[in-house]
């Protein structure tokens, strides 16, 4: 068996669930379904359930209950068992005929005690006991209508969706995003009787809303379980104010104390705030096919990181019937198909051109194995060429079944190469490169003036022009890569021109997208006046100024912009790359912006003594395993960069990249304008 990692952690969790599901109705929430999707696949769950019928259902208030011939149910939930979640459980059970109920939660019992306001001292005395789970077991029997029926509530840490051996996501925390200065004003308004917070640097756990703090604790619960599976005692580090809160919570997480005492291995866990570098998240520098697939194809419903692949071409249906949603979509995750999984991992780790050639190679080899009449071709790979290979499988059911996963990835590639968004990717890249040159040579006002002619109302836009959402992406890029700048009269005037033009464009949209509705605070362009639109755009530019100043509190990582000189053009240097290089700096100075979070008195004494005695402080390069957690999302290119860079700087070091979600450029404005960031919906 291979060394413990994100995949074995997820699969081990699901094995515990699969042991419970035989002949049961299984209800899953979206985040657990996504973990299953990437970890071992729904086929594995259906096999464990057994029987000819499909017994999987979405966990929601309107979910269909179990009939008289369905006495057993298993509920697999990513959230706390509290409030609305418990009400939904009650409603489903009360309209069913269950005699045996199992409820699995991804959240540790200790966090349930915190959620129920049990003081830390009292919680410590309850070690080994699970009163919250036991009370719910009694309730389950009550709702089933007989106290002699069987009820079971257990914790299984189904927190990760492993996209690759080096990369895993946390679907339940896809909306967790670091705070920005404008959030400080909101936090201050909610605490009129307390000392006002002056900046993000002053925000600590006590300043956060109870919901956000509990959401962080739920994440910490899952990460602690991962460290237990890996057999490591972790040292926690943070880059950024929000990451500092998460790292401190993990470092001081009470249930981890005993685990750390007996752990044989050591690891460094480094949390980094996404907001310190939004350039990499909205930019198009990543020469990666998967990034383009994720950006071009529609999101798979209920998922945060996978897409829908149209597979109608593999059926006998005519394409005009495709709009009827007759055929279930394909997807990227192929957890139970070894060959497709190998191709997927190759796509994650290669550049666009090599990736497309890799898709062709896999299709040719699969067709050859099935003795299909393939015509070999060399040279440039075209969508038409890939389609002709895929079509060979269409009328051969055995070949279709054998290579179903590979064909889905092939179709995803074809649909992306043909997609107008892919052609636009190069336009974005060209404009971003131009911006990088101009930022060094011109003032911010000149850069904004160059953007002005590109802002066009819908009736004047061609397919090559930028939509309002795409203009937001460019604005975020400009302000994030520029960093802090001096405001002057020219900049004020340039911003005002862009604001007025953008406000007018919003008003003239025939239909407002969900994102524009959120920004404008209006559900229809008919009701959107210029005055209302201008107020929304003014708020948008306040946010852009916050983005530009996101690195103000940094001492070392103050810039992601590298000015040009006689030999090199100006360029963008990812903050994540700077952090990794600093971690493995051969001179090993004490990191300035990578803060170590002490996990108790011993660490505090070490830190104190190190000021006047030769005691080495914990350093993130000390251990053979580095867990790098990007709070707020990571791109495929960034994950690959970290995976490749770490062993090149310190051979033998293993690295795992974790993040809240896999990003495409449009995700960033969506996350920035999410209305529930400070008050996440935890299901109660």
């Amino acid at each position: 068996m291979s060394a413990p990692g994100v995949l074995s952690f997820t699969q081990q969790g699901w094995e515990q669930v699969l042991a419970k599901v035989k002949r049961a109705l299984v209800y899953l929430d979206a985040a657990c379904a996504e973990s299953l999707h990437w970890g071992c696949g729904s086929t594995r769950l259906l096999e464990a359930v057994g029987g000819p019928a499909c017994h999987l259902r979405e966990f929601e208030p309107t979910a269909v209950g179990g009939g008289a011939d369905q006495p057993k149910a298993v509920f697999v939930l990513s959230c706390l068992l509290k409030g609305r979640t418990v009400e939904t459980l009650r409603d489903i059970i009360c309209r069913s005929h269950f005699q045996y109920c199992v409820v699995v939660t991804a959240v540790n019992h200790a966090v349930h005690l915190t959620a129920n306001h049990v003081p830390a001292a009292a919680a410590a005395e309850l070690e080994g006991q699970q009163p919250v789970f036991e009370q719910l077991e009694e309730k389950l029997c009550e709702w089933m209508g007989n106290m002699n029926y069987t009820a079971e509530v257990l914790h299984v840490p189904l927190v990760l969706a492993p996209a690759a051996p080096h990369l895993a996501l946390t679907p339940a925390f896809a909306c967790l995003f670091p705070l920005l200065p404008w959030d400080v004003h909101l936090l201050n308004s909610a605490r009129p009787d307390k000392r006002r917070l002056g900046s993000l640097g002053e925000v600590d756990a006590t300043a956060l809303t109870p919901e956000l703090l509990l959401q962080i604790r739920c994440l910490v619960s899952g990460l602690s379980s991962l460290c237990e599976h890996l057999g490591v005692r972790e040292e926690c580090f943070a880059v950024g104010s929000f990451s500092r809160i998460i790292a401190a919570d993990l470092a001081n997480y009470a249930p981890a104390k005993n685990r750390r005492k007996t752990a044989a291995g050591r690891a460094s866990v480094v949390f980094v705030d996404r907001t310190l570098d939004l350039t990499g998240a909205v930019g198009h520098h990543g020469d990666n096919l998967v990034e383009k697939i994720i950006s071009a194809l529609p999101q798979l419903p209920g998922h945060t990181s996978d897409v829908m692949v149209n597979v109608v071409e593999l059926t006998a249906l005519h394409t005009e019937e495709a709009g009827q949603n007759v055929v279930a979509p394909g997807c990227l995750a192929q957890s139970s198909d070894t060959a497709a999984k190998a191709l997927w991992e190759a796509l994650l780790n290669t550049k666009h051109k090599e990736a497309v050639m890799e898709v062709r190679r896999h299709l040719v080899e699969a067709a050859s194995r099935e003795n299909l009449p393939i015509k070999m071709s060399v040279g440039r790979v075209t969508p038409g060429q890939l389609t002709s290979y895929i079509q060979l499988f269409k009328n051969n059911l055995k070949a279709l079944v054998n290579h179903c996963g590979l064909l889905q990835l092939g179709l995803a590639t074809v649909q992306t190469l043909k997609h107008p968004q892919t052609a636009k990717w190069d336009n974005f890249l060209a404009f971003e490169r131009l911006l990088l040159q101009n930022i060094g040579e011109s003032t911010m006002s000149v850069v904004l003036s160059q953007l002005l002619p590109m802002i066009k109302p819908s009736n004047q836009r061609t397919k090559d022009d930028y939509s309002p959402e795409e203009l937001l992406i460019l604005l975020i890029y400009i302000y994030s890569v520029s960093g802090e700048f001096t405001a002057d009269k020219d900049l004020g005037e340039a911003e005002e021109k862009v604001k007025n033009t953008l406000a007018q464009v919003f008003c003239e949209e025939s239909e407002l997208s969900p994102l524009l509705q959120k920004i404008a605070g209006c559900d229809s362009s008919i009701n959107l006046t210029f005055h209302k639109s201008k107020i929304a755009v003014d708020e948008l530019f306040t946010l852009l100024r916050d983005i530009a100043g996101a690195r103000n509190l940094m001492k070392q990582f103050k810039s992601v912009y590298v000015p040009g000189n006689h030999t090199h053009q100006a360029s963008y240097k990812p903050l994540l790359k700077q952090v990794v290089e600093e971690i493995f700096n051969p001179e090993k100075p004490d990191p300035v912006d990578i803060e170590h979070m002490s996990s108790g008195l011993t660490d505090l004494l070490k830190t104190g003594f190190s000021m006047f005695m030769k005691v080495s402080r914990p350093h993130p390069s000390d251990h053979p395993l580095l867990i790098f957690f990007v709070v707020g999302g990571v791109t495929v290119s960034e994950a690959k960069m970290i995976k490749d860079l770490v062993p090149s700087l310190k051979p033998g070091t293993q690295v795992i990249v974790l993040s809240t979600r896999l990003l495409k450029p449009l995700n960033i404005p969506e996350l920035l304008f999410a209305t529930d960031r400070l008050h996440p919906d935890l299901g109660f």
Side-chain angles (χ1 to χ4, degrees):
M1 189 178 151
S2 60
V6 291
L7 185 58
S8 63
F9 171 63
T10 306
Q11 289 179 340
Q12 183 176 292
W14 279 104
E15 287 302 326
Q16 289 176 255
V17 175
L18 297 178
K20 302 282 182 186
V21 300
K22 191 169 184 182
R23 289 194 288 276
L25 262 183
V26 181
Y27 294 85
L28 296 144
D29 68 13
C32 282
E34 197 163 354
S35 172
L36 173 72
H37 179 72
W38 288 98
C40 48
S42 55
T43 311
R44 182 81 185 80
L45 180 57
L46 288 168
E47 286 168 357
V49 170
C54 178
H55 293 292
L56 304 191
R57 292 181 187 172
E58 186 179 356
F59 180 76
E60 56 175 359
T62 57
V64 177
D69 58 341
Q70 294 167 315
K72 182 180 175 185
V74 177
F75 299 87
V76 190
L77 309 174
S78 61
C79 54
L80 285 156
L81 304 176
K82 192 171 163 62
R84 283 200 326 273
T85 301
V86 172
E87 287 166 17
T88 302
L89 273 171
R90 181 198 63 204
D91 294 347
I92 293 171
I93 292 167
C94 286
R95 57 173 172 263
S96 303
H97 297 79
F98 300 139
Q99 298 172 25
Y100 182 3
C101 274
V102 180
V103 177
V104 175
T105 171
V107 183
N108 191 305
H109 183 267
V111 185
H112 282 82
L113 292 176
T114 305
N116 286 290
H117 312 293
V118 175
E125 288 174 19
L126 289 168
E127 194 175 347
Q129 300 172 58
Q130 300 191 323
V132 178
F133 290 178
E134 287 160 13
Q135 285 167 18
L136 182 57
E137 284 172 353
E138 284 187 19
K139 284 286 182 190
L140 293 172
C141 290
E142 199 179 296
W143 299 331
M144 286 189 281
N146 187 328
M147 297 310 286
N148 292 319
Y149 284 167
T150 308
E152 207 178 334
V153 178
L154 65 150
H155 161 239
V156 179
L158 304 170
V159 67
L160 297 184
H166 70 281
L167 172 64
L169 313 160
T170 57
F173 306 94
C175 294
L176 185 67
F177 201 70
L179 305 185
L180 282 162
W182 78 345
D183 294 309
V184 176
H185 304 303
L186 297 171
L187 290 172
N188 277 331
S189 62
R191 41 184 281 152
D193 306 329
K194 296 181 183 172
R195 184 182 67 80
R196 290 182 68 78
L197 303 161
S199 71
L200 268 181
E202 294 177 29
V203 176
D204 60 9
T206 61
L208 299 184
T209 62
E211 306 99 305
L212 185 52
L213 203 52
L214 204 48
Q215 187 183 34
I216 288 170
R217 181 59 59 85
C218 290
L219 173 62
V220 161
S221 152
L223 295 178
S224 178
S225 296
L226 171 64
C227 290
E228 182 173 7
H229 174 79
L230 297 172
V232 295
R233 175 186 167 184
E234 70 279 17
E235 293 283 359
C236 301
F237 301 85
V239 183
S241 53
F242 194 65
S243 284
R244 191 190 308 128
I245 296 170
I246 301 173
D249 203 53
L250 177 57
N252 294 286
Y253 182 56
K257 293 257 168 37
N258 287 338
R259 159 180 75 72
R260 288 187 186 129
K261 285 174 191 169
T262 57
R266 299 293 294 274
S268 296
V269 184
V270 180
F271 294 89
V272 182
D273 283 359
R274 173 78 265 177
T275 41
L276 295 172
D277 178 9
L278 293 180
T279 313
V282 296
H284 297 70
H285 324 95
D287 184 19
N288 184 278
L289 177 62
V290 176
E291 276 188 14
K292 294 173 187 177
I293 292 173
I294 290 167
S295 296
L297 301 189
Q299 197 168 296
L300 194 62
H303 288 250
T304 58
S305 299
D306 207 343
V307 296
M308 290 197 285
V309 181
N310 189 334
V311 293
V312 170
E313 280 184 57
L314 294 173
T315 71
L317 287 172
H318 297 295
T319 43
E320 56 265 24
E321 297 171 44
Q324 307 300 312
N325 296 326
V326 177
V327 180
C331 59
L332 300 176
Q334 303 296 334
S335 47
S336 53
D337 183 331
T338 313
K341 207 170 175 181
L343 174 58
W344 165 250
E345 287 174 18
L347 300 187
L348 287 174
N349 292 309
T350 51
K351 292 189 173 182
H352 174 99
K353 190 177 176 182
E354 288 83 24
V356 174
M357 290 173 74
E358 196 66 12
V359 172
R360 176 172 70 181
R361 186 176 71 79
H362 274 74
L363 286 171
V364 168
E365 287 178 3
S368 301
R369 278 199 297 275
E370 298 293 343
N371 296 318
L372 298 173
I374 194 154
K375 286 180 184 169
M376 294 298 290
S377 56
V378 290
R380 189 166 162 268
V381 184
T382 65
Q385 187 188 97
L386 294 179
T387 303
S388 70
Y389 295 156
I390 290 165
Q391 289 286 340
L392 295 172
F393 294 82
K394 183 173 177 177
N395 297 316
N396 187 325
L397 184 60
K398 178 173 165 285
L400 199 60
V401 170
N402 287 347
H403 305 284
C404 186
L406 169 62
L407 294 170
Q408 288 173 62
L409 293 174
L411 284 168
T413 303
V414 170
Q415 287 157 28
T416 301
L417 294 176
K418 286 180 171 178
H419 201 283
Q421 193 63 40
T422 305
K424 223 173 198 182
W425 187 280
D426 294 334
N427 296 352
F428 269 108
L429 183 57
F431 188 69
E432 287 161 9
R433 282 178 177 159
L434 183 67
L435 279 172
L436 287 173
Q437 305 317 311
N438 292 346
I439 285 166
E441 297 162 9
S442 317
T443 60
M444 188 67 166
S445 56
V446 172
V447 172
L448 287 176
S449 301
Q450 290 173 329
L451 186 71
L452 199 57
M454 298 160 69
I455 307 172
K456 298 178 182 178
S458 56
N459 60 357
Q460 292 176 27
R461 287 200 300 266
T462 67
K463 63 180 176 56
D464 293 327
D465 290 316
Y466 295 105
S467 68
E469 294 84 353
E470 289 168 335
L471 289 165
L472 287 180
I473 288 167
L474 285 175
L475 282 165
I476 291 168
Y477 185 95
I478 291 168
Y479 279 77
S480 177
V481 79
S482 299
E484 199 177 9
F485 48 80
T486 309
D488 56 20
K489 182 169 169 283
D490 288 346
L491 177 60
E493 288 173 2
E495 278 191 341
E496 206 53 41
K497 282 180 187 172
V498 172
K499 284 183 194 176
N500 287 327
T501 312
L502 205 53
Q504 192 59 47
V505 163
F506 284 6
C507 290
E508 292 177 23
E509 286 297 290
S510 54
E511 198 177 322
L512 293 179
S513 67
L515 175 60
L516 292 184
Q517 287 176 30
K518 211 174 277 184
I519 292 169
C522 189
D523 58 2
S524 165
S525 54
I526 299 165
N527 304 323
L528 184 59
T529 62
F530 179 78
H531 176 68
K532 201 185 279 186
S533 182
K534 182 64 168 58
I535 290 170
V537 173
D538 284 342
E539 286 181 0
L540 164 66
F541 271 76
T542 302
L543 175 61
L544 289 170
R545 291 282 183 105
D546 280 357
I547 289 167
R551 293 182 293 275
N552 285 0
L553 295 171
M554 296 284 107
K555 297 180 182 72
Q556 186 178 3
F557 305 131
K558 280 193 101 61
S559 177
V560 293
Y561 177 73
V562 180
N565 56 32
H566 298 302
T567 52
H568 296 286
Q569 287 191 321
S571 61
Y572 153 69
K573 184 170 185 182
L575 182 119
L576 298 179
K577 186 175 188 181
Q578 295 180 45
V579 172
V580 173
E581 286 178 348
E582 181 56 27
I583 288 172
F584 297 105
N585 184 335
E587 292 169 19
K588 208 176 178 180
D590 273 345
V592 181
D593 288 330
I594 307 172
E595 293 181 67
H596 174 249
M597 298 296 130
S598 61
S599 58
L601 187 60
T602 315
D603 275 350
L604 285 172
L605 287 172
K606 245 191 201 182
T607 307
F609 283 135
S610 70
M611 294 169 77
F612 52 88
M613 284 175 67
K614 208 163 185 182
V615 178
S616 62
R617 289 186 187 187
H619 192 282
S621 68
D622 288 343
H623 308 306
L625 171 63
L626 172 66
I627 299 173
F628 206 91
F629 194 114
V630 188
V631 183
V634 72
T635 68
V636 171
S637 297
E638 288 171 334
K640 179 187 182 301
M641 180 267 294
I642 296 165
K643 178 185 83 79
D644 294 346
L645 187 58
V646 169
S648 75
L649 295 171
K650 190 178 179 185
T653 303
Q654 185 194 352
V655 63
I656 295 172
V657 181
L658 302 180
S659 190
T660 43
R661 67 190 298 155
L662 212 49
L663 286 175
K664 58 182 177 184
L666 190 58
N667 288 145
I668 292 300
E670 289 169 348
L671 288 163
L672 287 169
F673 286 97
T675 50
D676 58 353
R677 280 196 301 125
L678 290 176
H679 300 275
D681 183 2
L682 300 178
F684 58 86

